[in-house]
């Protein structure tokens, strides 16, 4: 079952769920066979996948390793979908499968032509970006989603909303895992000199230490890479392949839902929410406050006198102190092992 025939069957309204489900299984067998032929049992861990599939532009950059990682990532998407899709519910996944399959064309084309040395008899090309009117229409549709037939929506345009939500998820989790609700000046105004990603910058720096006091359930580089990928999408509008969105959700999901055991906090209470563990929480808070309020560089006395004189002439105000507004320790989205 090649890609072209699979898509033709999905688009045929006269074909029932049973035949379409069988076509899905047949296409998965075909794609698994292509992966086995090219990868030869080679597998990639999460940490090996993310630096390439969310960063390197493929197929623009024809790199063998990057190609194989995209090939494998799409295979993992099909593996996870295969656990959800049944004949009885196939109609709910029909459109999603057609988009995934459509996005696989460039991968299959390279796989067949460069590795199996066989040319495809059909042509397919995904649209590289989104039209602003379609994006606006989706925003309006999302507001009234519960009152309309989803088939009337631009479904292909709805999927990238997940990228926006992933970006928001990561930013919110960074704040919650450290335990602050906002960063302001002393008057309560938002401090624009501090980026929204500052929590992850701090967490990444700490997590990379050999004696790190912050233990995440997933490699912090994986989350940072996905965050960078979501930021690029927001600014470029490039239409992302659906299997990349599915993989990003899978990786971020490990950060949110990966707790499989009971963990006791500093008071001996069993925690079920959150999977991040923090040791020496008060010291972490102090260091984060210094992180967003960096110390002024030391100057020799002559330079310091000239600097102060220059400030008086320009009548500049002193830099505003940055305030981190912390939540109560019980509301931190992490297990505090010790204060």
């Amino acid at each position: 079952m090649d890609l072209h025939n699979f898509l033709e069957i999905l688009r045929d309204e006269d074909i029932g769920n049973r035949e379409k489900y069988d076509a899905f299984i047949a296409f998965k067998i075909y794609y698994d066979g292509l992966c086995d032929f090219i990868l030869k049992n080679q597998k990639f861990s999460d940490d090996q996948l993310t630096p390439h599939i969310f960063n390197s532009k493929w197929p623009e950059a024809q790199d063998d390793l990057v190609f194989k990682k995209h090939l494998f990532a799409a295979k993992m998407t099909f593996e996870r979908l295969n656990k959800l899709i049944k004949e009885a519910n196939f109609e709910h996944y029909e459109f999603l499968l057609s988009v995934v399959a459509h996005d696989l064309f460039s991968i299959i084309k390279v796989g067949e032509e460069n590795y199996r040395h066989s040319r495809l008899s059909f042509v397919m090309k995904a649209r590289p970006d989104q039209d602003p009117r379609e994006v606006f229409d989706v925003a309006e549709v999302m507001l009234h989603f519960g009152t309309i037939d989803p088939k009337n929506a631009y479904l292909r345009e709805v999927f990238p909303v997940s990228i926006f939500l992933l970006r928001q998820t990561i930013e919110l989790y960074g704040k919650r895992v450290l335990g602050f609700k906002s960063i302001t000046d002393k008057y309560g105004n938002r401090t624009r000199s501090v980026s929204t990603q500052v929590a992850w910058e701090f967490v990444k720096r700490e997590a990379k230490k050999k004696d790190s006091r912050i233990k995440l359930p997933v490699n912090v580089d994986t989350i940072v890479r996905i965050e960078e990928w979501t930021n690029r999408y927001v600014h470029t509008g490039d239409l992302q392949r659906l299997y990349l969105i599915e993989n990003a959700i899978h990786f971020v999901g490990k950060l949110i839902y990966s707790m499989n055991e009971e963990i006791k906090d500093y008071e001996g209470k069993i925690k079920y929410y959150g999977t991040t563990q923090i040791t020496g929480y008060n010291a972490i808070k102090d260091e984060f406050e210094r992180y967003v309020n960096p110390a002024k560089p030391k100057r020799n006395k002559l330079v310091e006198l000239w600097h102060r004189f220059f400030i008086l002439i320009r009548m500049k105000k002193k830099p505003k102190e940055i305030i981190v507004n912390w939540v109560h320790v019980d509301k931190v989205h992490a297990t505090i092992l010790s204060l």
Side-chain angles (χ1 to χ4, degrees):
M1 176 67 67
D2 67 17
L3 175 62
H4 182 263
N5 289 334
F6 177 50
L7 287 172
E8 287 296 307
I9 291 173
L10 288 181
R11 292 167 181 158
D12 193 333
E13 296 182 358
D14 294 327
I15 296 179
N17 273 9
R18 180 64 197 177
E19 290 180 75
K20 290 185 177 182
Y21 177 73
D22 289 344
F24 162 62
I25 297 300
F27 176 71
K28 184 180 179 300
I29 292 172
Y30 158 77
Y31 188 75
D32 286 346
L34 180 65
C35 291
D36 293 342
F37 182 83
I38 295 172
L39 296 174
K40 303 186 186 307
N41 295 321
Q42 184 179 13
K43 297 181 179 180
F44 301 100
S45 68
D46 296 351
D47 297 339
Q48 290 171 325
L49 276 181
T50 49
H52 285 113
I53 65 173
F54 296 113
N55 192 44
S56 301
K57 290 185 177 181
W58 188 90
E60 291 85 350
Q62 294 292 343
D63 181 278
D64 183 66
L65 180 61
V66 174
F67 165 72
K68 287 181 178 180
K69 289 186 176 183
H70 276 265
L71 183 79
F72 183 81
K75 176 181 170 64
M76 291 298 98
T77 291
F78 270 115
E79 292 293 339
R80 289 186 285 269
L81 287 175
N82 189 46
K83 296 177 180 178
L84 302 173
I85 300 174
K86 311 295 178 186
E87 178 186 349
N89 67 1
F90 189 83
E91 61 185 16
H92 300 304
Y93 291 91
E94 187 175 330
F95 184 80
L96 183 142
L97 282 174
S98 70
V99 175
V100 174
H102 196 278
D103 287 346
L104 284 180
F105 174 71
S106 55
I107 289 180
I108 291 174
K109 186 174 188 294
V110 170
E112 291 287 1
E113 295 183 356
N114 292 7
Y115 293 86
R116 281 183 168 170
H117 306 293
S118 61
R119 290 195 169 275
L120 301 184
S121 59
F122 56 92
V123 177
M124 192 181 303
K125 188 175 181 181
R127 193 155 53 83
D129 55 22
Q130 292 180 293
D131 182 271
R133 179 172 178 175
E134 289 172 337
V135 176
F136 174 80
D137 287 345
V138 168
E140 188 173 29
V141 165
M142 292 293 287
L143 186 64
H144 305 283
F145 208 74
T147 65
I148 66 168
D149 183 348
K151 293 180 180 179
N152 294 329
Y154 296 106
L155 288 181
R156 183 63 179 94
E157 311 303 324
V158 170
F159 294 132
V161 174
S162 297
I163 304 178
F164 285 96
L165 297 180
L166 281 175
R167 182 191 188 199
Q168 187 178 23
T169 297
I170 294 169
E171 290 183 4
L172 286 175
Y173 191 81
K175 292 169 59 178
R176 300 296 189 269
V177 81
L178 286 180
F180 68 89
K181 58 183 178 181
S182 62
I183 298 177
T184 64
D185 61 22
K186 64 180 181 180
Y187 302 108
N189 300 315
R190 179 189 169 191
T191 304
R192 297 188 178 277
S193 60
V194 178
S195 71
T196 56
Q197 291 85 11
V198 68
W200 274 110
E201 293 170 2
F202 179 83
V203 170
K204 179 180 179 180
R205 189 186 70 163
E206 174 65 27
K208 283 183 173 293
K209 297 178 181 177
K210 290 183 179 180
D211 56 347
S212 175
R213 293 157 296 174
I214 299 178
K215 180 183 177 183
L216 296 174
V218 62
N219 192 322
V220 67
D221 284 332
T222 296
I223 304 302
V224 171
R225 186 75 64 178
I226 293 173
E227 182 188 38
E228 292 170 349
W229 175 71
T230 61
N231 288 337
R232 283 199 303 276
Y233 168 74
V234 169
H235 294 294
T236 64
D238 291 341
L239 197 61
Q240 297 296 322
R241 295 180 175 90
L242 192 54
Y243 69 84
L244 287 181
I245 299 175
E246 192 276 339
N247 271 274
I249 292 172
H250 172 69
F251 295 137
V252 175
K254 291 185 176 183
L255 182 69
I256 306 296
Y257 291 111
S258 58
M259 177 175 281
N260 295 315
E261 59 183 351
E262 298 176 355
I263 300 176
K264 292 184 178 180
D265 67 5
Y266 67 99
E267 291 183 323
K269 296 178 181 178
I270 296 175
K271 295 290 185 178
Y272 293 95
Y273 177 83
T275 55
T276 298
Q277 301 171 36
I278 299 179
T279 303
Y281 182 60
N282 290 333
I284 288 288
K285 289 170 63 177
D286 291 341
E287 288 184 27
F288 183 71
E289 289 185 345
R290 290 196 296 271
Y291 187 75
V292 296
N293 282 284
K296 297 178 182 178
K298 293 183 179 179
R299 307 183 181 92
N300 62 45
K301 291 183 178 180
L302 183 62
V303 173
E304 183 64 26
L305 286 172
W306 173 252
H307 179 71
R308 291 182 180 180
F309 177 70
F310 185 73
I311 289 178
L312 287 173
I313 292 176
R314 295 285 300 273
M315 299 187 69
K316 282 190 173 181
K317 296 180 180 179
K318 292 182 179 180
K320 295 179 180 178
E321 181 184 2
I322 296 173
I323 307 296
V324 180
N325 301 293
W326 299 98
V327 301
H328 189 273
V329 66
D330 290 341
K331 295 183 179 179
V332 177
H333 287 196
T335 300
I336 308 302
L337 301 180
S338 66
L339 294 175

